[in-house]
């Protein structure tokens, strides 16, 4: 029992940065803009957050700085891909490379410096007696609770409000949305920027909670995993929760299986999260093969009024 | 019009990206000195007879890693202070074709080049053959040439001392070790660690998980937590990042890192850990080049040679532990105690080293089994 409780707690802490990034990616992609800059944006979020914390000592400012810097990245991506209608894949890759290099440069003065930071935790002692769920939920930090509420808020926003309907309409059929009187460009700008802000939050979580000292390239590929998880989640915030924790949980499970000495090589266990992600993607693809695609139909296509594709 | 603006913007981005990528390995972090032997920056302390050599260092990471490269860079600073020269530094050089290019460029205008990662072995070997007049120094490798020497610290000696402290500090006899990669360097350090812990606490059990990373804080933290959840009360880590000892401190568990003093990352629960001290050796090597006495060699430095050390103890480590470790260190230094003296049994209980015998340096360097008392497997 303890084994599973500990595993779920480990899955949550490892999955939370992924969850923020996946939610951000969903927002951007639902408006029809592919955002491959996740890795670079997370790194920028992390390094700016670290610098802000070192200079001000304030957690709120550190988080705000990460969100702001990542928002600027989102603005750049929106400008390139929406206003200038550049190839979104290329812009995203450029942002990732740029973010990786820039974060390494900005991080030089604080590299290897330990941050004396502790994220406030939400203590709910009255939950403890509930078996299994109690010990998991009783002592989580506030950013985890923020991620929970974001999942629900984004779900309600996307499926239960007219703004959400507009968002999905722009992602599926910008020409019709335009004819309806919606501003395609404005909606795309807002969601790309909001999405990249969430990716910045993912970077802030990494450095402020998960591993409190800046190291070059500390995301080590988590941005790319987040992009795969967007597809796994079918662009739905609720499934994003499952996808992020599935990945985080398998990540944690690998080490636990090593300790059980069941004879599976550690190299193989390290592949486990990736293999399962591929399998789940295949299974989802197989089940949905006769149904209409759930992908936003205008994803990756710049919108030009009056132009037919 | 828009197309032109767009093209220009994308080009600018591409250029910025290219620069941020390419300029890292290519531009030395400490300003490249066109004439280090010019005498303008000559040191007041040492004024050797011969002309001062032009020295270069190639790093796998950045000095800010707080671990492996950090310690090499301290050695570089010691060389610069001793001889009043300014060394060329190239950071973040990946192992592979890039490394070969970097070594080749450096070889054209340097006399002595240090490469500080195992994976530079073949690039250095190739370049050394092309530049017989340049001296190459490769850390942790095993290929030598008349102008390519290797050097390595006996990490198992301070590893043994960390294990001794761990054995004394554990209350429940459960110790965790997050290994980096299942290679001899890591395996013999974990073995030495375990033998020491058993010497003070025969029932101690050391659980090992492999992170298969040198530097991925998030993964290493996850590996550490898997051990902490098993209830270990001392946690050692072989990686360069402090993620493991930070996770240990959150649970109030004793933590040990590797390569460098990591006190600042977990001031409450830090114990100590092996530290590699390259400076004195680097100074000797540069001096021998100046004197013209440099010859190829394979150097293994322990406490006696001053190449390994243990980090300052954490503030909460009990005095008796410190005393025991210091006493054992003196024995190792005086060579009255051998870390790998028999009897040593492997995990299956088979005798690997008989009573009265000890492992030779060659045997240690190819160690591929865990000793009895370790819970964990080495992937074959």
């Amino acid at each position: 029992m303890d084994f599973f409780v500990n595993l779920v707690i480990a899955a949550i802490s490892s999955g939370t940065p992924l969850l923020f990034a996946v939610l951000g990616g969903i927002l951007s992609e639902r408006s029809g803009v592919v955002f491959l800059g996740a890795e670079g944006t997370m790194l920028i979020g992390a390094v700016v957050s670290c610098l802000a914390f070192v200079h001000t000592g304030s957690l709120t400012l550190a988080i705000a700085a990460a969100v702001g810097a990542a928002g600027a990245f989102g603005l750049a991506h929106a400008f390139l891909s929406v206003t200038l209608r550049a190839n979104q894949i290329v812009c995203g890759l450029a942002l990732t490379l740029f973010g990786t290099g820039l974060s390494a440069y900005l991080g030089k003065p604080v590299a290897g410096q330990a941050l004396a930071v502790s994220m406030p935790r939400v203590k709910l002692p009255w939950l403890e007696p509930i078996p299994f769920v109690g010990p998991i939920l009783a002592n989580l930090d506030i950013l985890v609770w923020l991620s929970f509420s974001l999942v629900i808020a984004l779900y309600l926003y996307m499926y239960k409000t007219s703004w959400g309907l507009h968002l999905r309409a722009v992602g599926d059929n910008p020409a019709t949305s335009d004819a309806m009187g919606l501003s395609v460009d404005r909606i795309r700008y807002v969601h790309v920027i909001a999405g990249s802000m969430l990716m910045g939050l993912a970077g802030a979580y990494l450095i402020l909670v998960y591993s409190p000292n800046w190291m070059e390239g500390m995301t080590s590929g988590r941005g790319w995993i987040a992009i795969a998880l967007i597809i796994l989640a079918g662009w739905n915030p609720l499934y994003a929760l499952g996808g992020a924790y599935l990945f985080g949980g398998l990540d944690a499970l690998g080490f636990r299986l090593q300790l059980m000495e069941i004879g599976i090589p550690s190299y193989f266990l390290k592949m486990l999260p990736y293999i399962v992600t591929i399998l789940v993607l295949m299974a989802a693809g197989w089940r949905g093969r006769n149904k209409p695609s759930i992908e936003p139909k205008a994803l990756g296509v710049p919108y030009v009024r009056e132009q037919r594709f | 019009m828009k197309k032109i603006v767009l093209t220009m913007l994308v080009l600018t981005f591409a250029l910025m990206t290219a620069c941020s990528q390419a300029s890292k390995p290519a531009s030395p972090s400490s300003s490249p000195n066109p004439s280090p032997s010019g005498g303008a920056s000559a040191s007041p302390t040492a004024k050797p007879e011969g002309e001062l050599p032009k020295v270069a260092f190639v790093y796998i990471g950045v000095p800010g890693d707080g671990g492996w490269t950090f310690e090499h860079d301290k050695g570089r600073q010691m060389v610069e202070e001793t001889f009043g020269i300014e060394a060329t530094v190239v950071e973040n050089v990946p192992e592979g074709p890039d490394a070969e290019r970097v070594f080749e460029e450096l070889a054209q205008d340097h006399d002595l080049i240090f490469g500080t990662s195992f994976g530079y072995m073949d690039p250095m070997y190739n370049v050394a053959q092309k530049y017989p007049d340049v001296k190459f120094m490769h850390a942790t490798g095993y290929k030598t040439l008349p102008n390519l020497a290797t050097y390595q610290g006996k990490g198992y000696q301070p590893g043994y001392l960390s294990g001794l402290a761990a054995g004394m500090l554990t209350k429940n006899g459960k110790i965790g070790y997050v290994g980096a990669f299942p290679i001899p360097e890591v395996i013999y350090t974990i073995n030495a660690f375990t033998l020491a812990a058993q010497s003070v606490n025969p029932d101690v059990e050391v659980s090992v998980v492999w992170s298969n990373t040198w530097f991925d804080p998030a993964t290493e933290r996850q590996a550490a937590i898997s051990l902490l959840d098993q209830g270990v009360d001392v946690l050692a880590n072989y990686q360069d990042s402090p993620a493991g000892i930070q996770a240990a401190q959150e649970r109030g568990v004793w933590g040990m890192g590797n390569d460098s003093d990591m006190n600042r990352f977990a001031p409450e629960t830090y114990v100590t850990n092996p530290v590699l001290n390259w400076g004195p050796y680097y100074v000797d090597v540069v001096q021998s080049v100046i004197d013209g006495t440099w010859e190829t060699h394979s150097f293994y430095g322990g406490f006696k040679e001053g190449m390994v050390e243990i980090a300052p103890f954490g503030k909460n480590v009990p005095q008796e532990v410190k005393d025991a470790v210091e006493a054992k260190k003196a024995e190792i230094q005086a060579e009255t105690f051998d870390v790998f003296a028999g009897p040593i049994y492997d995990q299956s209980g088979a005798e690997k080293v008989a009573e009265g015998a000890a492992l030779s340096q060659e045997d240690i360097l190819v160690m591929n089994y865990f000793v009895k008392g370790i819970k964990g497997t080495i992937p074959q």
Side-chain angles (χ1 to χ4, degrees), chain A residues 6 10 14 84 86 97-98 108 111-112 114 210-213 215-216 220 222 252 255-256 258-259 261 266-267 270, chain B residues 6 9 17 62 64 91-92 182 209-213 215-219 221-222 226 229 246 264-265 375-376:
Chain A
N6 286 333
S14 156
L84 301 180
L97 293 169
F98 178 57
K108 287 251 172 205
Y210 207 62
S211 172
N213 52 296
M215 279 173 274
E216 224 178 286
S220 34
R222 275 168 188 73
F255 295 114
R256 284 150 215 265
Q258 270 194 50
L259 282 168
E261 299 188 88
S266 61
Y267 296 119
K270 226 181 155 202
Chain B
L6 165 69
L9 257 168
T17 320
V62 287
E91 298 171 1
N92 268 329
V209 293
W210 300 106
S211 69
N212 292 316
T213 59
F215 196 84
D216 175 356
T219 299
R221 180 185 167 86
Q222 218 26 275
S226 73
D229 282 347
Q246 284 171 331
R264 63 189 185 282
F265 297 111
K375 204 167 154 258

Side-chain angles (χ1 to χ4, degrees), chain B residues 236-253:
Chain B
N237 304 272
Y238 202 89
Q239 294 79 6
D240 293 340
S241 94
I245 52 176
Q246 284 171 331
Q249 172 164 270
E250 285 167 23
R251 308 261 183 122
V253 165

